[in-house]
Amino acid sequence: METHDPCLLSIRGLTVSLPPQADRPFAVSDLDLDVRHGECLCIVGESGSGKSITAQAILDMLPDGLTQTGGEIRFEAEALPRSRPALMQKLRGSRIGMIFQEAGTSLDPVMSVGRQIEELLLVHGIRDARLRRARSLEMIAAVQLSDPERIHGYFPHQLSGGQAQRIAIAMALALHPSLLIADEPTTALDVTTQAEILRLIRALQAETQAGLIFITHDLAVVADIADRVMVMQQGRVVESGTRDAIFARPRHPYTIQLLESLPGSHDRPRHAGRGDVLLEARDISLTYQQPVGLFKKRPVHAVRGLSLRLARGQTHGLVGQSGSGKSSFIKGLLQLEPLSGGTVLLDGVDVTSGLSRAMRKRIQLVQQDPAGALDPRQTAGYSIAEGAIIHGTSPRNAEEKARRMLDLVGLPQQAYDRFPHEFSGGQKQRICIARALAVEPEILIADEALSALDVSIQAQILGLFAELQRKLGFAMLFVTHDLRVAAAICDEVTVMLKGEAVEQGPAESVFGDPQHPYTHMLLDCLPDKAGLARTAIERRHRTGTVGEPA
């Protein structure tokens, strides 16, 4: 007699209502979902598609103002005990584990990470202190952190992003849950750390045979780890199926759009700039003094002897892992940190000793976090106009320029009087780009400006950068840990490792024929099927089979 593997998690008709003033009635509408033991289901879609709300509904942790108004969620063949908070609390952590996107914000900053794991064990009934400590050390070792005894006593701020995410995984798996939910756990991590975290999650899941719901907007990650894929748009499931079927024969236009948004090296024409060098950094070094104990400090060499040249109209990429010195180099260029050696030339003029206001106008910065870069008390229009006013433009002319810039970055005129909280992440980043360009700079520095954005929004912003650069002619220094994005936008690339440039040259040469082992390693860490996804899309376009049913 044939037997069927029962569903670990089964959802039928899940509907979550939004507040009356929202832009649509439902955050999630009539959703069906099944997860089995040992299976990885990836839920993909843009911000606002309902991915995280689905996870929060499973955990009975919906934000204020959102209400489940329909559907049933069954876990291990039983309906979730929503009307009994104590039972739901017992399920969370013990039977259903959760890994959040920002490990830094999900960990208590005033408690050592070891104590946080032990506290979780205590809450779920493990009273023996020695047993709790032993279990916490076992979990720290299980997530492949060296010297568990030392890490056990660390506070979150003493950990790198990858280490903090490993602690979050350790907490999620400490009680051997049957179901693990990972909500964008690798979004802000560099390519090597992302690869390590993905391997770790899959290995631990395979060991425990837990079901895994992996929420992401990165289709390259989906291609690497998923068994099945569910695509969401505006709260609805528009397509679902096996990973291979979704990538080989996507049926819904939105799925095709997401696949086509994967960055590739053919996304923009290459050029070498207009010949004359606008910015030159010669043998730049930057050293921090790190406190050791109460009275001593030790030098940390963040940048060592780095040189590069940026021509007019050219895009030069700085790539490397977190901690490689990319952002420190930018801080040194902008005089935000004192250089310990080297020379900076702007249009042939030595500006190492400091940038005047006129010189600062020529170099503008677009930061990684658009939400943190915008003043929540200022309207989008004033944020854009303010820089022009500071540099001598009259308020009336600055407003006119700000409105033109909104149009240039593809935002409606009504956006001028709206506040930052009224925009999506992609729209906020467009505002930051408009603000930087409003003063008509000759150099734009984009410091991880795309790292937290959805793949489709990334594609839009990449296209926007290319179009604005063509129209306005500025040069761009583009800092990123995502090699796919660097390949899509950069003319020249500098690969950084421990503060030094280990490889430098045209993007096609660096990525097509890398010479340094570290560059090889970065490329090897890209999700394995990212290139295959692009190739599949291009092949369908050539053969005219886009959207045909499987």
Side-chain angles (χ1 to χ4, degrees):
M1 179 176 158
E2 185 181 0
T3 59
H4 295 279
D5 181 22
C7 281
L8 173 64
L9 177 74
S10 181
I11 300 177
R12 293 293 177 268
L14 176 66
T15 300
V16 178
S17 296
L18 287 166
Q21 67 273 20
D23 59 354
R24 66 177 197 256
F26 302 111
V28 176
S29 181
D30 198 26
L31 178 141
D32 294 343
L33 176 155
D34 291 312
V35 181
R36 291 176 171 79
H37 289 276
E39 179 182 51
C40 175
L41 171 69
C42 280
I43 304 179
V44 301
E46 297 171 292
S47 297
S49 61
K51 309 184 303 293
S52 295
I53 295 299
T54 300
Q56 291 164 349
I58 295 169
L59 294 165
D60 195 24
M61 295 175 63
L62 288 172
D64 291 341
L66 274 66
T67 309
Q68 182 180 333
T69 52
E72 181 185 45
I73 303 176
R74 299 185 71 83
F75 175 67
E76 295 181 329
E78 299 287 338
L80 286 178
R82 298 183 172 281
S83 60
R84 304 173 69 181
L87 286 180
M88 277 303 304
Q89 183 176 350
K90 188 174 181 181
L91 276 177
R92 295 187 210 110
S94 62
R95 305 303 300 147
I96 305 176
M98 180 75 182
I99 305 171
F100 293 96
Q101 178 174 349
E102 291 289 346
T105 57
S106 63
L107 296 174
D108 188 334
V110 298
M111 185 185 295
S112 70
V113 296
R115 278 192 58 201
Q116 293 186 56
I117 300 173
E118 290 182 33
E119 186 179 66
L120 171 71
L121 299 172
L122 177 63
V123 166
H124 287 280
I126 300 179
R127 303 295 178 188
D128 188 316
R130 287 177 298 179
L131 186 60
R132 290 199 305 271
R133 180 176 177 84
R135 179 64 179 153
S136 67
L137 291 171
E138 178 189 339
M139 289 310 303
I140 292 172
V143 296
Q144 300 171 19
L145 286 170
S146 59
D147 197 350
E149 286 280 358
R150 177 174 56 88
I151 295 292
H152 186 281
Y154 273 12
F155 288 83
H157 73 273
Q158 295 175 285
L159 303 176
S160 69
Q163 289 174 323
Q165 198 61 280
R166 287 170 186 266
I167 292 296
I169 294 169
M171 293 181 70
L173 293 172
L175 292 158
H176 300 299
S178 301
L179 176 66
L180 183 63
I181 302 173
D183 189 2
E184 301 273 15
T186 62
T187 294
L189 303 178
D190 62 59
V191 63
T192 52
T193 306
Q194 173 181 269
E196 292 168 1
I197 295 297
L198 290 176
R199 282 196 295 267
L200 177 62
I201 290 174
R202 276 303 248 170
L204 293 173
Q205 182 218 1
E207 182 182 321
T208 62
Q209 280 299 291
L212 172 61
I213 297 177
F214 196 100
I215 297 169
T216 183
H217 63 254
D218 190 337
L219 281 163
V221 169
V222 173
D224 205 39
I225 70 166
D227 297 312
R228 290 191 300 113
V229 181
M230 189 170 80
V231 182
M232 294 188 68
Q233 181 187 30
Q234 293 288 301
R236 292 185 174 274
V237 177
V238 297
E239 188 162 3
S240 63
T242 66
R243 175 195 62 193
D244 293 342
I246 292 291
F247 276 88
R249 294 286 183 184
R251 301 183 182 188
H252 196 276
Y254 179 67
T255 310
I256 296 168
Q257 175 197 328
L258 289 178
L259 286 167
E260 290 177 331
S261 296
L262 284 169
S265 60
H266 61 276
D267 286 347
R268 71 187 293 268
R270 302 287 173 203
H271 54 83
R274 299 175 186 166
D276 52 327
V277 174
L278 180 59
L279 178 70
E280 184 175 3
R282 296 178 182 170
D283 202 27
I284 297 297
S285 296
L286 195 153
T287 302
Y288 296 107
Q289 296 297 321
Q290 184 180 61
V292 180
L294 291 176
F295 304 107
K296 294 183 179 179
K297 294 184 178 181
R298 67 178 179 89
V300 176
H301 302 289
V303 183
R304 302 168 182 256
L306 179 60
S307 299
L308 63 79
R309 306 172 92 193
L310 180 65
R312 295 185 187 276
Q314 185 186 54
T315 298
H316 193 117
L318 283 179
V319 302
Q321 297 169 274
S322 297
S324 61
K326 304 184 303 292
S327 293
S328 293
F329 175 72
I330 296 304
K331 289 176 182 177
L333 282 183
L334 296 174
Q335 311 289 325
L336 300 176
E337 294 284 352
L339 295 177
S340 52
T343 305
V344 180
L345 301 174
L346 181 60
D347 230 358
V349 178
D350 188 339
V351 295
T352 312
S353 59
L355 291 169
S356 66
R357 175 176 287 190
M359 290 175 176
R360 289 191 181 278
K361 179 178 181 291
R362 299 172 66 185
I363 306 176
Q364 291 294 304
L365 174 68
V366 180
Q367 296 169 280
Q368 177 176 355
D369 177 18
L374 295 172
D375 188 331
R377 299 164 298 180
Q378 290 182 350
T379 64
Y382 185 78
S383 292
I384 297 170
E386 184 181 29
I389 293 172
I390 289 172
H391 288 285
T393 304
S394 70
R396 181 176 178 178
N397 289 340
E399 179 179 342
E400 291 176 359
K401 180 177 285 189
R403 293 188 183 278
R404 288 198 303 272
M405 293 308 304
L406 283 172
D407 184 60
L408 196 61
V409 299
L411 289 174
Q413 286 294 310
Q414 302 92 295
Y416 188 93
D417 295 311
R418 291 163 59 189
F419 288 87
H421 71 273
E422 299 178 79
F423 297 96
S424 68
Q427 289 173 323
K428 289 175 187 173
Q429 196 61 291
R430 287 172 182 262
I431 293 168
C432 290
I433 294 169
R435 179 176 65 178
L437 295 178
V439 298
E440 301 174 10
E442 296 172 57
I443 300 170
L444 187 68
I445 298 177
D447 189 2
E448 297 283 10
L450 306 183
S451 64
L453 301 179
D454 300 332
V455 63
S456 55
I457 304 300
Q458 277 191 4
Q460 293 172 20
I461 299 298
L462 282 174
L464 177 63
F465 275 137
E467 177 66 15
L468 293 176
Q469 195 173 29
R470 184 184 66 79
K471 288 181 178 179
L472 305 178
F474 56 83
M476 182 156 59
L477 193 56
F478 194 88
V479 181
T480 183
H481 63 251
D482 191 329
L483 273 68
R484 294 165 298 165
V485 171
I489 196 171
C490 297
D491 304 304
E492 300 277 327
V493 172
T494 296
V495 181
M496 293 187 66
L497 172 65
K498 296 181 179 178
E500 297 181 345
V502 296
E503 191 157 357
Q504 195 172 68
E508 290 89 345
S509 300
V510 172
F511 295 136
D513 185 23
Q515 300 300 305
H516 195 277
Y518 177 68
T519 313
H520 274 284
M521 186 268 288
L522 290 178
L523 291 168
D524 288 343
C525 286
L526 286 173
D528 292 338
K529 299 179 182 64
L532 296 181
R534 290 293 309 205
T535 302
I537 285 292
E538 290 161 9
R539 185 175 64 251
R540 284 195 299 278
H541 275 297
R542 287 196 301 270
T543 59
T545 59
V546 175
E548 285 185 6

